[in-house]
Amino acid sequence: MFSHQVLVVGGGLAGLRAAIEAHDRGVDVAILSLVHPLRSHSGAAQGGVNAALGNAEEGRDDSPERHAYDTVKGSDFLADQDAVEEMTADTPERIYEMEHWGCPFSRNPDGTIAQRPFGGGAFPRTCYGSDKTGHYMLHTLYEQTIKRGIRVYAEWTVLYIVVQDDLVHGLVALHMPTGQVEGFTAPAVIMATGGAGRIYSQSTNAIINTGSGIALAYMAGAPLKDMEFVQFHPTCLYPINILITEGARGEGGYLVNNQGERFMKDYAPTAMELAPRDIVSRSIRTEIAQGRAFEDVYIHLDLRHLGQEIILERLPGIRDIAMHFAGVDPVKQPIPVLPAQHYTMGGIGTDSWGQTPLNGLFAAGECACVSVHGANRLGGNSLLETVVFGQRAGVRVSEWVKGNGAANPARVESALSASNQRLEEFIAGKGEEDPRLIRQEMGEVMMEKVGIFRHRDEMEEAIAKLRELQQRLAHTRPLYGGKRFNLDLLRTYELRGLLLVAEVIA
């Protein structure tokens, strides 16, 4: 049994920032992460992080209020406007903090942080480090975590949040390298486990982004919010869905159909390629449906007119991805792209300080929903959300643990026994169902019937299918019973939660 005052589940940007804040406020905090923190999906964010710094020549008049308005407008006016104002007001401080901790942002000639245009923004306010911004920010926060000596339990997967009488007492987690299931006591838990992209068959998200953290909180009794709002990024590399940053369009890239036309003139004639993501994704899907796509599947993102110097300076990662995974050099050839699932706007319902209605349970980052994105997130606001609400969750959780009692180890022991029994039941198996096929069918039905365009009859069919899959999961075949890195067991164990989250979305 391990014991801490605060347990942070997830080693990405939100989790690291929350842990740093809690530590700096005198709290014994530890991080549990499914992968090494530097392999967290935060590192895949490319284009940048929004902040009203006013460093671009065209953006001298920018302000947190204007950033808030663009965010609310981009959300289809469905974001919580008070929460948005709080987020954008905190933003400059969080970005300068990252800069002072050593984050290598790209620079203007005068040494200020460079800012590029992004979709839905009235000004160039997206701070960036070439096209590897999330990677740079993740390394920066991990360095600060190591500096402080914060305990990191890497390669642990949480199986259960222990709640009794509306009060958190800790966690049960599986150590992947050994297969041991252990209990962790803590009066407070911060969920920072990322989004639910892998519920869909086509997603930019890493394999680890299954929404299992959202499911754990839901099954523990926390409410979910805005789950119907799922973002599809318009430019994902065909055919394997790797993200092609919005920064490519921010630098001046064109979207072109098989007629050689910049078709966004027909959908958003003023913003063109820098319209909000939901508009661009719908526009591309319409072009595909009306027969103006290449091979009836994808359109082209053309960067050739930018020239080799700009591409190598500002989009080197995109060039590497296109060359290695699609066999095209953006300096000489257009990139084949199409929309794919990208971001979970909904999540565990919290206030603007990361607190859920469940005493002792907090959440931050993509797994949480403060409702600052509404129906559509602006590009550049996701990295922003992690550091703003990660910091805020760290503040509030510190206040919580100092004012409340310790966790009850007996409750964790009981949950530990129940979790071991459930794992053994999966290993023994009671039927012939292959859980891999259940997962595959879930992804396909979500992509086909709960995607960019939605219709009542198709969503009802999806719900019926998901409930059928939940029934089939109870009859899985016996699983491999080995202890060390038993991914077969892990993927099957988490599948119940994925199906529940998928059903909530549908």
Side-chain angles (χ1 to χ4, degrees):
M1 186 84 70
F2 300 92
S3 182
H4 297 276
Q5 287 181 289
V6 176
L7 294 170
V8 178
V9 184
L13 286 173
L16 295 177
R17 187 62 190 84
I20 289 168
E21 190 68 26
H23 172 275
D24 289 356
R25 290 173 180 268
V27 171
D28 172 23
V29 59
I31 299 167
L32 281 82
S33 182
L34 178 60
V35 294
H36 187 281
L38 294 180
R39 299 303 301 163
S40 299
H41 191 58
S42 298
Q46 299 166 346
V49 53
N50 290 338
L53 305 184
N55 291 343
E57 186 62 38
E58 312 94 296
R60 301 298 186 199
D61 295 331
D62 201 4
S63 67
E65 291 77 15
R66 292 184 174 187
H67 182 185
Y69 177 75
D70 287 345
T71 297
V72 171
K73 181 181 179 182
S75 77
D76 293 333
F77 292 91
L78 290 169
D80 181 324
Q81 297 185 19
D82 292 336
V84 171
E85 284 191 295
E86 290 183 66
M87 177 180 74
T88 59
D90 281 6
T91 297
E93 181 180 355
R94 297 282 76 79
I95 298 308
Y96 288 133
E97 178 179 70
M98 292 296 299
E99 178 187 34
H100 294 165
W101 281 342
C103 186
F105 290 112
S106 295
R107 301 283 172 174
N108 293 316
D110 63 1
T112 56
I113 297 172
Q115 296 184 276
R116 60 173 37 134
F118 250 45
F123 301 102
R125 69 166 63 95
T126 306
C127 310
Y128 63 95
S130 70
D131 57 357
K132 302 174 183 178
T133 315
H135 179 77
Y136 294 164
M137 290 177 67
L138 186 62
H139 276 257
T140 300
L141 287 188
Y142 186 63
E143 288 170 358
Q144 295 299 314
T145 302
I146 295 301
K147 175 183 177 181
R148 288 162 171 78
I150 296 171
R151 179 72 183 269
V152 177
Y153 297 92
E155 298 181 323
W156 286 79
T157 182
V158 174
L159 304 178
Y160 191 72
I161 301 173
V162 182
V163 178
Q164 187 76 28
D165 301 325
D166 195 34
L167 190 66
V168 168
H169 292 278
L171 304 167
V172 175
L174 172 68
H175 187 221
M176 294 302 296
T178 63
Q180 288 296 114
V181 180
E182 301 284 357
F184 291 78
T185 66
V189 169
I190 301 176
M191 302 301 290
T193 54
R198 283 293 164 170
I199 285 173
Y200 285 80
S201 60
Q202 295 176 307
S203 175
T204 64
N205 286 194
I207 295 295
I208 58 175
N209 282 38
T210 59
S212 58
I214 297 173
L216 287 168
Y218 180 48
M219 290 187 285
L224 303 185
K225 185 164 62 174
D226 288 0
M227 291 302 292
E228 70 273 31
F229 298 140
V230 178
Q231 182 170 80
F232 291 79
H233 197 287
T235 56
C236 307
L237 186 65
Y238 174 79
I240 58 175
N241 306 309
I242 295 177
L243 174 67
I244 301 296
T245 176
E246 192 164 309
R249 286 173 283 134
E251 296 296 342
Y254 298 154
L255 295 175
V256 180
N257 62 20
N258 66 10
Q259 308 296 308
E261 300 172 336
R262 288 179 66 189
F263 57 86
M264 285 306 300
K265 67 181 182 350
D266 299 323
Y267 303 96
T270 302
M272 293 292 286
E273 285 85 359
L274 290 179
R277 288 176 177 176
D278 55 343
I279 295 174
V280 181
S281 292
R282 288 196 297 270
S283 302
I284 293 173
R285 278 294 178 202
T286 301
E287 291 294 301
I288 293 170
Q290 295 181 357
R292 292 187 291 274
F294 296 91
E295 300 181 25
D296 296 323
V297 177
Y298 59 86
I299 53 93
H300 278 159
L301 173 61
D302 196 346
L303 307 180
R304 291 175 294 181
H305 57 284
L306 300 181
Q308 180 170 317
E309 184 176 346
I310 287 180
I311 292 173
L312 292 181
E313 176 190 346
R314 301 183 188 177
L315 301 167
I318 292 305
R319 183 172 185 243
D320 287 345
I321 289 169
M323 292 176 71
H324 290 140
F325 294 98
V328 300
D329 183 350
V331 173
K332 303 173 183 176
Q333 302 154 286
I335 305 171
V337 295
L338 79 171
Q341 191 284 340
H342 179 61
Y343 193 86
T344 307
M345 261 88 70
I348 305 162
T350 75
D351 64 15
S352 61
W353 291 92
Q355 192 157 3
T356 77
L358 197 60
N359 291 317
L361 184 66
F362 300 76
E366 191 176 352
C367 77
C369 181
V370 192
S371 203
V372 289
H373 304 308
N376 175 66
R377 175 179 67 78
L378 290 189
N381 273 1
S382 60
L383 290 178
L384 169 58
E385 176 188 27
T386 63
V387 292
V388 167
F389 293 112
Q391 186 268 346
R392 282 172 158 253
V395 171
R396 185 54 53 85
V397 80
S398 302
E399 296 169 351
W400 169 263
V401 297
K402 291 174 183 177
N404 290 272
N408 187 336
R411 305 270 165 80
V412 180
E413 284 285 1
S414 177
L416 181 61
S417 176
S419 295
N420 270 315
Q421 182 179 344
R422 185 157 179 249
L423 289 171
E424 291 301 324
E425 288 172 356
F426 272 123
I427 291 171
K430 295 181 180 178
E432 300 296 325
E433 291 286 352
D434 187 338
R436 295 173 301 174
L437 297 180
I438 294 175
R439 184 184 289 257
Q440 179 181 328
E441 290 180 41
M442 173 190 68
E444 290 171 353
V445 75
M446 291 299 289
M447 197 70 202
E448 292 169 8
K449 300 184 185 297
V450 198
I452 293 175
F453 292 104
R454 299 177 183 178
H455 306 278
R456 183 188 182 96
D457 56 341
E458 291 185 347
M459 288 191 287
E460 288 176 342
E461 291 170 7
I463 292 169
K465 180 65 175 180
L466 291 166
R467 289 174 179 167
E468 173 202 316
L469 294 175
Q470 289 173 26
Q471 294 297 318
R472 287 168 52 187
L473 184 62
H475 305 285
T476 54
R477 58 168 171 73
L479 301 179
Y480 169 64
K483 292 289 188 181
R484 296 174 61 82
F485 285 105
N486 189 345
L487 294 177
D488 192 19
L489 180 60
L490 169 62
R491 299 299 182 211
T492 303
Y493 188 97
E494 70 183 5
L495 190 48
R496 174 188 171 222
L498 273 61
L499 288 164
L500 282 174
V501 173
E503 182 184 358
V504 171
I505 293 171

